[in-house]
Amino acid sequence: MKKYTLKRIGTSLFTLLAILLVLFILMHLMPGSPFNDEKLNDDQRTVLYEKYGLDQPVPVQFVKYVGNMLRGDMGVSYNISKNTPILQLIESRLPISIRIGGCAVLIGAVAGLLLGLLAALKHDTIWDSLATVISVIGVSVPSYVFALALSYYFGFKLRWFPMLFSADTLFKSSVLPSVSLSMFTMASIARFTRSEMLEVLGSDYMLLAESKGVSGPALIFRHALRNALIPIITVLAPLIVDLMTGSLVVEKIFSIPGVGSLLVNAIQSNDYNVVIALSFIYSAMYIGIMLVVDILYGIIDPRIRLAKKGD
Amino acid sequence: MKKKVAVAAEATAAYIPVDTDFKWKENAGDISIDENFVAQNFWHDVFVRFFRKTSAVIGLLLIILITVFAIIGPGMNDFGYSDQYLSQKNFAPRVKALEKFGIFDGTETMKTTTGKTQVNYYQEKDMNDLYYWFGSDNFGRDIWTRTWSGARVSLIIAVAAALIDMIIGMSYGLISGYFGGKTDMLMQRFLEVANGIPRLVIVTLLLLVLKPGMLTIIFALMLTEWVGMSRIARAEMLKLKEQEFVLASRTLGANSFFIIFKEVLPNIIGPIITQVMFSIPTAIFTEAFLSFVGLGIPVPQCSLGSLISDGFNSFTTHSYQIIPPIIVMALLMLSFNLVADGLREALDPKLKEM
């Protein structure tokens, strides 16, 4: 297990490095430069390039960048807010995105689990069909349609919640974006929970547990749900990362000052360091979560641990 | 030995059977065909199972309906998708037969500081012969025409991207799974790197480097969406490649190319078709998402996403402008999902529902 974990961490680090390199090359292939103010003449531009080390060949820049990053320095912004360290720039925005994404995951996971459980326990009844209908709609209707509908009815018509995000009413104004983002997670989790639970409920060990005299919530939660949870974790993991960064449109609708809008601004204004840093953070989150899930998987389910020893 | 053969030949040569030696046995009543367990063609089975599922059939009908409208819709009235009549801005929907019932009669309720008022621009501007079925937008363009030509653009992009994804992802996954070992390791590492870069970054970079337009969007979608398909193809290949029919084919001297594409591929066509159907709504969504961020189809062309993005700017004042594209897109995505669900169950009834 230890060997497998170490190997897995090693490949993850290598993948991250490769992603960083690809990002670096992609950014430098881009047309235009970060300093496209028309007032600048060529000499001034050269000076600027020299100052930020952009005149050096890409491999040298890359090595320097990686070196700086290991010391916790992600460079400075060229364009969006001049000379602000990237970390500082992200620091103010990431918590908002994480907050909304986190709420969405929480709402989605809990509601999805309950919905899936309901559907599985009341299999082939009206509840089951209702849950299926909800989950099909949740999976197929894009989150920003929900966002628009919610902001129209609850924000504009009923005025229960503010239509736009503001830091003053933090809780109230994060309700609508979180709920609209959570729909997809909820629907996928509900579908997955339902099918997993149906399989577990039909298995022999459930029959055994029942014949031992276990019943009620203990049967469902300790014996059934626990076994059904393992595959659900794998579905949830990538959804979490997607939510944190993929909420761009929802961020625009509610005008949330999150990471997504920063990324688009940075790409459009050639702010190399911001783009690379943000993309890298996203990739690191994605790969990190996948790594944790893989290792967790082995800890939760001994069968997988044994199978992987053969590797 | 030779003698025996000669004798046998002589014996057969001696008598040649003629037609009259044979006659039909009258046993029509004895033959019974098992009607309970008739052997059936696989695709016929799939067909029957698919059409037994109501939701899938509804989805299919909706897709056909929307496609038909996407083809003929823009030509059904006299407006073009980029025709602007600046004097006819923000007209509410008005339909000939329905206006007598008090709906779709061109009036809309405006909220002002003094309260609600009913406005009818058609009467105000004295244009009683004019009918905008879905209303007109901020620039005086017909929303009916624009919705259907937007649906056309979105459908073309989604279907093209899904098909190209299928070809790339399928080949990648099949090859990676078939050869295994070092090849598989390398190809999977590459896939991990490609998958780790945020989709938004790849797509935006591409859209900035290339000229924005339909082809660029298809290309961008193609670059980002093939990963899922290749995973499925690889998993199926790993399942099948140890089976006897592959071994038999190899023993008969078939080369790898033949085994991958002629032996294994027909056996995994089911999951692949299902995955294509699932990737179409994803493509529609991604395209709409790009348009919404401002990286989509350039004006005056439109897609469902850009229409929603336009309508969003005035959705609290003229909400009829955003409703048609949103409904068409939601229905389109819903029905593709329903059809894909139905297909998955029809193609592999044993597969557990996900």
Side-chain angles (χ1 to χ4, degrees):
Chain A
M1 189 62 201
K2 214 177 197 172
K3 199 177 156 198
Y4 171 73
T5 312
L6 283 177
K7 201 174 152 192
R8 197 66 187 67
I9 291 175
T11 49
S12 299
L13 285 179
F14 173 75
T15 312
L16 270 180
L17 201 68
I19 289 174
L20 193 61
L21 184 65
V22 172
L23 280 174
F24 227 78
I25 294 170
L26 271 179
M27 275 319 289
H28 286 271
L29 282 179
M30 286 259 301
S33 87
F35 313 106
N36 35 17
D37 194 336
E38 279 176 15
K39 284 179 218 149
L40 294 173
N41 61 29
D42 283 345
D43 290 341
Q44 285 168 317
R45 223 167 253 156
T46 323
V47 173
L48 276 172
Y49 266 78
E50 249 167 53
K51 184 182 165 198
Y52 293 113
L54 289 175
D55 52 341
Q56 285 156 334
V58 176
V60 178
Q61 283 186 45
F62 181 68
V63 172
K64 267 195 184 156
Y65 188 85
V66 173
N68 283 339
M69 205 171 72
L70 290 177
R71 271 181 270 129
D73 174 16
M74 306 267 263
V76 294
S77 162
Y78 301 140
N79 234 336
I80 292 181
S81 74
K82 277 227 161 74
N83 293 334
T84 318
I86 305 285
L87 283 178
Q88 207 179 318
L89 204 64
I90 294 173
E91 217 171 35
S92 62
R93 285 164 174 267
L94 199 59
I96 301 174
S97 287
I98 288 184
R99 187 193 163 85
I100 303 231
C103 284
V105 170
L106 208 67
I107 298 172
V110 172
L113 264 179
L114 290 178
L115 203 64
L117 267 179
L118 185 74
L121 293 179
K122 310 235 180 219
H123 186 47
D124 279 338
T125 62
I126 181 86
W127 294 107
D128 189 13
S129 337
L130 194 70
T132 311
V133 169
I134 293 179
S135 58
V136 168
I137 290 176
V139 168
S140 41
V141 177
S143 58
Y144 65 86
V145 173
F146 284 120
L148 284 172
L150 286 178
S151 84
Y152 187 73
Y153 281 103
F154 294 104
F156 180 66
K157 280 258 158 101
L158 298 172
R159 294 187 190 278
W160 288 359
F161 299 104
M163 276 183 79
L164 299 177
F165 183 85
S166 79
D168 304 331
T169 52
L170 200 56
F171 178 75
K172 256 193 154 180
S173 55
S174 15
V175 170
L176 292 184
S178 303
V179 169
S180 44
L181 267 179
S182 72
M183 292 304 279
F184 186 79
T185 319
M186 187 203 75
S188 346
I189 298 280
R191 291 179 111 184
F192 216 73
T193 311
R194 178 178 172 272
S195 63
E196 285 300 322
M197 276 298 280
L198 282 180
E199 204 180 299
V200 169
L201 286 177
S203 64
D204 290 344
Y205 60 78
M206 284 305 289
L207 198 66
L208 178 72
E210 222 171 321
S211 52
K212 273 197 311 190
V214 187
S215 66
L219 183 72
I220 305 293
F221 289 103
R222 282 193 50 198
H223 292 263
L225 190 60
R226 244 184 152 178
N227 283 297
L229 268 183
I230 299 167
I232 295 173
I233 295 176
T234 22
V235 198
L236 189 59
L239 284 177
I240 294 176
V241 187
D242 269 354
L243 272 186
M244 290 192 181
T245 50
S247 54
L248 198 79
V249 177
V250 175
E251 278 184 12
K252 191 182 164 190
I253 289 175
F254 294 101
S255 68
I256 301 166
V259 178
S261 46
L262 183 65
L263 183 60
V264 170
N265 283 342
I267 290 176
Q268 280 168 347
S269 59
N270 280 333
D271 208 333
Y272 295 151
N273 278 346
V274 180
V275 178
I276 292 175
L278 281 179
S279 311
F280 186 73
I281 288 175
Y282 172 92
S283 313
M285 282 204 291
Y286 182 80
I287 289 172
I289 287 182
M290 287 324 238
L291 177 73
V292 170
V293 165
D294 252 22
I295 294 170
L296 264 186
Y297 222 67
I299 293 170
I300 299 172
D301 194 340
R303 280 169 299 180
I304 296 164
R305 191 161 60 216
L306 289 178
K308 270 181 183 157
K309 260 190 187 157
D311 279 2
Chain B
M1 278 300 272
K2 254 187 188 169
K3 208 174 187 184
K4 252 186 194 170
V5 173
V7 170
E10 231 167 65
T12 45
Y15 182 72
I16 300 164
V18 287
D19 278 353
T20 47
D21 288 346
F22 303 98
K23 66 170 187 198
W24 292 103
K25 191 177 176 220
E26 301 294 332
N27 67 344
D30 299 342
I31 300 172
S32 67
I33 293 169
D34 186 352
E35 292 193 348
N36 291 323
F37 302 99
V38 198
Q40 265 176 358
N41 180 313
F42 172 71
W43 290 106
H44 182 256
D45 249 10
V46 168
F47 198 71
V48 169
R49 273 198 298 265
F50 181 81
F51 279 95
R52 216 179 278 153
K53 212 173 163 198
T54 331
S55 60
V57 176
I58 293 175
L60 190 64
L61 286 179
L62 274 175
I63 293 177
I64 294 173
L65 192 75
I66 293 176
T67 314
V68 167
F69 269 108
I71 294 167
I72 64 166
M76 280 171 75
N77 56 21
D78 299 332
F79 303 107
Y81 70 89
S82 58
D83 293 356
Q84 296 187 8
Y85 300 97
L86 288 174
S87 59
Q88 299 163 17
K89 273 196 270 187
N90 297 328
F91 276 33
R94 185 180 184 210
V95 183
K96 218 167 213 167
L98 294 172
E99 61 181 338
K100 294 186 192 95
F101 302 106
I103 46 168
F104 287 103
D105 56 356
T107 49
E108 68 174 315
T109 321
M110 296 282 271
K111 263 188 196 163
T112 52
T113 42
T114 51
K116 287 179 187 174
T117 45
Q118 289 270 339
V119 190
N120 191 332
Y121 288 128
Y122 295 93
Q123 288 165 8
E124 251 173 50
K125 298 199 175 170
D126 207 20
M127 295 177 184
N128 285 319
D129 296 335
L130 202 62
Y131 289 94
Y132 283 113
W133 295 334
F134 281 172
S136 71
D137 70 3
N138 214 7
F139 298 103
R141 294 176 294 197
D142 178 37
I143 294 179
W144 168 277
T145 312
R146 282 179 70 76
T147 302
W148 296 118
S149 48
R152 187 191 286 178
V153 170
S154 289
L155 270 174
I156 292 174
I157 289 177
V159 171
L163 288 180
I164 300 171
D165 278 349
M166 181 191 83
I167 295 169
I168 297 178
M170 194 180 72
S171 314
Y172 193 91
L174 286 177
I175 290 170
S176 170
Y178 179 78
F179 290 105
K182 281 242 162 64
T183 321
D184 187 35
M185 222 275 288
L186 268 179
M187 286 176 88
Q188 290 309 306
R189 282 292 92 74
F190 175 75
L191 190 137
E192 238 168 73
V193 173
N195 200 30
I197 303 176
R199 209 159 282 177
L200 184 68
V201 174
I202 302 183
V203 173
T204 14
L205 288 181
L206 257 177
L207 289 177
L208 291 176
V209 176
L210 303 172
K211 226 171 69 190
M214 207 150 91
L215 281 179
T216 314
I217 293 182
I218 293 176
F219 189 62
L221 285 175
M222 178 193 92
L223 274 185
T224 52
E225 301 295 331
W226 58 275
V227 174
M229 175 65 78
S230 87
R231 287 224 169 102
I232 286 176
R234 177 169 172 270
E236 294 291 326
M237 173 57 103
L238 290 180
K239 241 189 274 171
L240 288 183
K241 77 171 180 182
E242 302 299 335
Q243 289 202 2
E244 280 81 1
F245 71 92
V246 176
L247 185 68
S249 183
R250 200 176 301 146
T251 320
L252 287 171
N255 59 14
S256 304
F257 184 82
F258 185 86
I259 294 177
I260 292 175
F261 292 101
K262 288 276 167 68
E263 298 282 1
V264 175
L265 184 57
N267 283 295
I268 65 166
I269 205 75
I272 285 185
I273 292 177
T274 315
Q275 177 67 19
V276 171
M277 291 308 273
F278 273 117
S279 65
I280 290 177
T282 317
I284 294 178
F285 174 71
T286 314
E287 184 279 319
F289 164 83
L290 286 174
S291 299
F292 205 92
V293 184
L295 294 164
I297 294 280
V299 286
Q301 270 186 305
C302 58
S303 69
L304 290 176
S306 68
L307 288 173
I308 294 174
S309 175
D310 288 347
F312 170 64
N313 295 327
S314 54
F315 92 106
T316 50
T317 45
H318 305 289
S319 47
Y320 59 86
Q321 292 182 0
I322 200 171
I323 289 174
I326 271 203
I327 288 182
V328 170
M329 188 166 86
L331 281 182
L332 208 53
M333 285 180 66
L334 184 69
S335 38
F336 270 110
N337 269 309
L338 289 177
V339 169
D341 256 349
L343 259 184
R344 171 165 57 196
E345 266 169 49
L347 283 164
D348 191 355
K350 284 175 296 182
L351 199 80
K352 66 178 174 180
E353 195 188 315
M354 285 197 342

